[in-house]
Amino acid sequence: MAVTIRDVARASGVHISTVSRTFSAPHLVNPETRSRVLATAEQLGYRPNRAARALITGRTHNIGLIVADIANPFFPPLIKAAETHARRRDYHVFVADTDEDPIVELDLVQALAKQVDGILLCSPRMSDDQIEQVRREVPLVVINRMITGLPAVVMDVGHGAREAVRHLLDLGHRHLVYLAGPRGSWTNREIRRAAGATARAAGAELTVLGPNQPVEETGAASAEAVLRTGATAVLAYNDLMAIGLLQSLQDRGVDVPGQVSVVGIDDIAYSVLVRPRLTTVANPTATAGRTAVDMLLQQGDDGATGQVTLRTDLIIRNSTGPGPYAPAVAITAEVAAAHVKE
């Protein structure tokens, strides 16, 4: 015979309502009482009925996580961190993929809205107006997009882009390419703005190629266009594009970084597997996933609508080297090695 909530209440010496609150609103239960109820439930093998709980509390304990492209290696660490963190809070995460399509994105949000307690919208392609409209229908937190008045977790890609461009300038590069990302991407706009301002301040030239789909094939197909610019260094919107470009340049007999330096953004696992290993801007994707879950659940509890910016870091590896205007003092192997982070 199945163990009921009454059995747990009787065995733990509390009222049925206390057991119910322990599973539906644990923050309202005294920690000592909560621990005793949970231990008793575990011992008896009690599992709460989620459907019944949802009818009583109005909460499904489900979260929707909508990402731009689940095949992009940038997203899995974020998804995994969000799922693990949500599970610790007794929430389940439903993941959906928009394939970079704003129409599909809107359809998915509207389909999930009545089945979840809130939505994490990661790298959305919808317009600001559409996202604000969605917010009126379901609680949400936006990841990698800053919209005034909406709760958001963003990675400071502008800082990362500035650091990447300064690194290339310090190496003696004066003509750079920014291999841009998709139209409608907040991240793409931030990178382009930061990279352009940094290059202009140093009297350097930045050529923008794009917008582009943020996939490896796009990077590979851009090699000829990059070479035609005469630039000696490239900052790509993400690591996938940088890796595609790097491999395509090598296929054409172009030495990386001897003739062209390449920098990516994201620090995905593949960035250390290619040769030369990719210099890149590391984004704290796992931290973003956990932070967004916390922000969404706090929003449900107290209406909090803050915005959090997470630090990014330049990771210097082997795909960047001296440019035509390198400092007069030669960069020896020992000095170069001191600047390379494995």
Side-chain angles (χ1 to χ4, degrees):
M1 187 174 182
V3 178
T4 68
I5 193 172
R6 294 180 182 276
D7 298 326
V8 176
R10 188 181 305 112
S12 54
V14 299
H15 194 272
I16 292 174
S17 61
T18 302
V19 178
S20 177
R21 278 196 300 275
T22 297
F23 288 99
S24 63
H27 59 287
L28 298 179
V29 181
N30 177 280
E32 182 181 345
T33 302
R34 184 172 67 235
S35 297
R36 185 167 76 253
V37 170
L38 292 174
T40 302
E42 183 68 25
Q43 183 179 3
L44 295 177
Y46 171 73
R47 294 292 180 270
N49 185 315
R50 285 182 173 268
R53 191 200 312 175
L55 289 174
I56 296 170
T57 66
R59 290 192 175 189
T60 65
H61 276 243
N62 296 324
I63 294 172
L65 172 54
I66 299 178
V67 301
D69 181 7
I70 202 168
N72 186 330
F74 168 83
F75 291 106
L78 188 152
I79 294 169
K80 185 173 181 62
E83 285 183 324
T84 301
H85 199 59
R87 197 176 304 119
R88 294 193 183 110
R89 304 283 296 274
D90 196 29
Y91 278 77
H92 290 165
V93 175
F94 298 157
V95 180
D97 171 24
T98 72
D99 199 25
E100 301 278 353
D101 188 328
I103 297 174
V104 173
E105 189 170 66
L106 181 58
D107 287 345
L108 283 171
V109 170
Q110 293 173 336
L112 282 173
K114 293 182 174 59
Q115 305 175 51
V116 298
D117 296 329
I119 289 176
L120 305 179
L121 200 54
C122 190
S123 298
R125 302 297 182 235
M126 289 185 291
S127 69
D128 287 0
D129 288 343
Q130 287 175 314
I131 295 173
E132 288 169 353
Q133 175 60 42
V134 165
R135 172 78 195 292
R136 290 192 278 271
E137 300 173 12
V138 61
L140 64 79
V141 171
V142 183
I143 304 173
N144 261 11
R145 175 88 163 263
M146 191 73 82
I147 301 174
T148 303
L150 267 64
V153 179
V154 299
M155 288 162 262
D156 195 352
V157 290
H159 169 77
R162 286 189 292 272
E163 291 297 298
V165 171
R166 286 175 188 141
H167 168 62
L168 294 170
L169 294 173
D170 288 345
L171 287 171
H173 297 281
R174 290 295 177 269
H175 186 182
L176 287 63
V177 162
Y178 171 50
L179 197 54
R183 192 185 307 276
S185 164
W186 175 88
T187 298
N188 182 58
R189 291 195 298 272
E190 289 297 300
I191 296 170
R192 179 173 178 169
R193 181 162 43 236
T198 306
R200 284 193 301 273
E205 180 180 356
L206 179 75
T207 299
V208 178
L209 298 180
N212 300 289
Q213 284 296 100
V215 294
E216 189 174 341
E217 292 78 6
T218 298
S222 300
E224 284 298 330
V226 167
L227 293 173
R228 282 197 298 270
T229 68
T232 59
V234 180
L235 172 63
Y237 168 79
N238 66 6
D239 284 350
L240 284 180
M241 295 172 68
I243 289 169
L245 173 65
L246 186 155
Q247 294 174 328
S248 186
L249 288 173
Q250 291 178 324
D251 289 345
R252 287 167 168 76
V254 177
D255 181 57
V256 178
Q259 294 171 266
V260 178
S261 287
V262 177
V263 181
I265 293 179
D266 286 343
D267 195 29
I268 62 175
Y270 298 156
S271 64
V272 295
L273 300 178
V274 294
R275 293 294 181 270
R277 292 184 293 275
L278 185 66
T279 294
T280 185
V281 174
N283 277 319
T285 50
T287 301
R290 291 189 291 268
T291 303
V293 168
D294 284 340
M295 187 177 290
L296 183 64
L297 298 186
Q298 289 164 7
Q299 181 184 160
D301 293 338
D302 58 23
T305 58
Q307 296 182 331
V308 175
T309 299
L310 302 176
R311 177 188 172 91
T312 58
D313 292 295
L314 178 66
I315 308 297
I316 301 173
R317 298 193 178 104
N318 307 110
S319 65
T320 50
Y325 301 93
V329 177
I331 301 179
T332 65
E334 291 78 14
V335 173
H339 289 77
V340 174
K341 182 172 180 178
E342 296 297 335

